[in-house]
Amino acid sequence: MSNTAKYLLGLDGGGTKTIARLIQVDSGQEWSAKCGATSLTNNFALAVENIAKICNTLFAQAHCAPENVYAVLGLAGACNEKVKNTLEATLPLHFCHVEVVTDAKTSLYGANMGKPIAVVALGTGSVGMRLLDDNTEVLVGGWGFVHGDEGGGAQLGLMAVKQLMHEIDANNQHHCPLGQYLSKQLGQDRQSLQQWLAKSTPTDFATLTEAIFALKTHCEVANNVLARHAENVEKLISMTVSDTNLPLVLMGGLAKPTIGLLSKTVVGSMVDAKGDSLDGACLLALQNYQRMNGDGLTSYAQ
Amino acid sequence: MSNTAKYLLGLDGGGTKTIARLIQVDSGQEWSAKCGATSLTNNFALAVENIAKICNTLFAQAHCAPENVYAVLGLAGACNEKVKNTLEATLPLHFCHVEVVTDAKTSLYGANMGKPIAVVALGTGSVGMRLLDDNTEVLVGGWGFVHGDEGGGAQLGLMAVKQLMHEIDANNQHHCPLGQYLSKQLGQDRQSLQQWLAKSTPTDFATLTEAIFALKTHCEVANNVLARHAENVEKLISMTVSDTNLPLVLMGGLAKPTIGLLSKTVVGSMVDAKGDSLDGACLLALQNYQRMNGDGLTSYAQ
């Protein structure tokens, strides 16, 4: 294998795990690796360490030099410009070309392999994105748990916990199955619920969603909470698709249970994702390579 | 003045200022003092220092010994049992009797001078309380900015900022006067608004309320936000009054502008507060004194 061959590196890095793929452009040969968290805003030093580790693992596997690699790193937390710039300045790897983007962007490019698409991601948070013909990207929502993310699992959990607050406010009675379940998990009274709230993270709220879905048919309150969740998701979808006719990809851990709550019209506009965030990162790396080398399509992209 | 005379001390302490009043029971003679913050959850060490300072100032003025004083300290943050217990164990003052309660409780007792009443406080946050015939106190709402406080100024500000988020999501256009005002204050685009959000506190959101009220007649969006605020406040009032016929006191910095938004029925059930949080603290100190000394009414309470 020639040390001067050209390579693409795509990386999809999140708060718990990271996957990366190295591709030799001419042959299409691929190498893959996994490692731990590379979220830039959770633990920056660990992210740098893990990115360097996973890249060097791949370089060793492929016997390639970083100087020949066109890399795109799709990282959670890269929407923070300052942190992103610090990473680009700090990274101890001498790529031919490297671009740090958000994992949202790599998901968007992966969903329809770079073709126009609307994507709504439902996880702990929620965010919508659309990619237009001219490669314009539009972000919708994704304002975070405290100020937004109304279609996400954390907000769904919070809506349920608010029902428990309501029952506590109305004389400490936990009538409905949802209230009874939550009071057992989080606390029976104001004092214990407030202690739970003081320590709770968006993830803690999101872990309640499974039980809320499970109570759908037995509990009117759970059912109402899920109806409001569906309304929030449909609003986010409508804002994301906007006045376009783009097909819609729904992704993230909360996508599957939520689809059953949505209207037939919305479900009818949905398509399966063609690729994932890692595919999107590799595609963006290819586009960079092509732009910089004036190439047309390569064997990888054909 | 006798050093063995009995005294009452009431204190109303918050996140910015503290006021206290010392009363000689038999003569009704009063001494007052002010000092800085004594919120237990903001800066505990400063709170202890300021409480000791303001009390010692009053003891010096009245030439009285703390051993003769029945004190009630109404403090922001005293709903946290652990912090409250630490304060009672730490306080370097040897009162005859001292009780640490929340400033919400002292407000409740002040509002109708210990008689049954429903009180809704609208400030940065929001909380409802009712005091029943048998001295039962019931707390409603007050779950804090992230999880509740829907009638407070911070949530009103957030509702307005969500309109700006909505305008940014819908292609960066700031059509309405409220959106235009907020984009000038907080940021014109997603990046700058997100920077503001990352640093913003509930107080920052609450400072936007004045502008929202000022735009009421010129801006339909501001008007809609205020209508939702009024709905939230009426819901909190209804939960607080519950199935009682208690008269209602609306208090806090947001009470006055909000009254103009409420229905005639709700406004018709309102009465003026008879006293404030400091009056409530002094009343509770008197009740403790009477209970411990088996006294009837004193000259102060008559």
Side-chain angles (χ1 to χ4, degrees), chain B residues 61 68 84 86 178 193 198 263:
Chain B
Q61 283 177 12
N68 299 326
K84 179 187 142 171
T86 310
L178 181 64
L193 180 56
S263 73

Side-chain angles (χ1 to χ4, degrees), chain A residues 79 81 130 138-143 145-148 150 158 162 165-166 168-171 190-191 193-194 197 200 205 239, chain B residues 79 81 130 138-143 145-148 150 158 162 165-166 168-171 190-191 193-194 197 200 205 239:
Chain A
C79 49
E81 283 291 325
R130 61 178 178 269
V138 181
L139 200 62
V140 174
W143 295 98
F145 175 62
V146 175
H147 311 114
E150 279 85 359
L158 177 57
K162 281 194 179 188
M165 292 176 189
H166 184 88
I168 288 176
D169 281 342
N171 282 332
R190 174 176 282 270
Q191 187 77 18
L193 181 56
Q194 274 194 321
L197 289 172
S200 64
F205 284 100
M239 292 281 296
Chain B
C79 49
E81 284 290 324
R130 60 178 179 269
V138 181
L139 199 61
V140 174
W143 295 98
F145 176 62
V146 174
H147 311 115
E150 279 86 358
L158 177 58
K162 282 195 178 187
M165 293 175 189
H166 184 89
I168 288 176
D169 281 342
N171 282 331
R190 174 176 282 268
Q191 188 77 17
L193 180 56
Q194 273 195 320
L197 289 172
S200 63
F205 283 100
M239 292 281 296

Side-chain angles (χ1 to χ4, degrees), chain A residues 258-277:
Chain A
T258 299
I259 285 175
L261 306 172
L262 301 178
S263 73
K264 280 184 184 170
T265 321
V266 169
V267 175
S269 72
M270 286 183 195
V271 295
D272 287 335
K274 288 196 179 156
D276 59 18
S277 175

Side-chain angles (χ1 to χ4, degrees), chain B residues 7 10 76 102 107 157 190 210 213 223 227 229 257 270 275 293 297:
Chain B
Y7 295 84
T102 65
S107 294
R190 174 176 282 268
E210 204 179 318
F213 276 101
N223 205 20
H229 167 65
M270 286 183 194
N293 292 277
L297 288 176

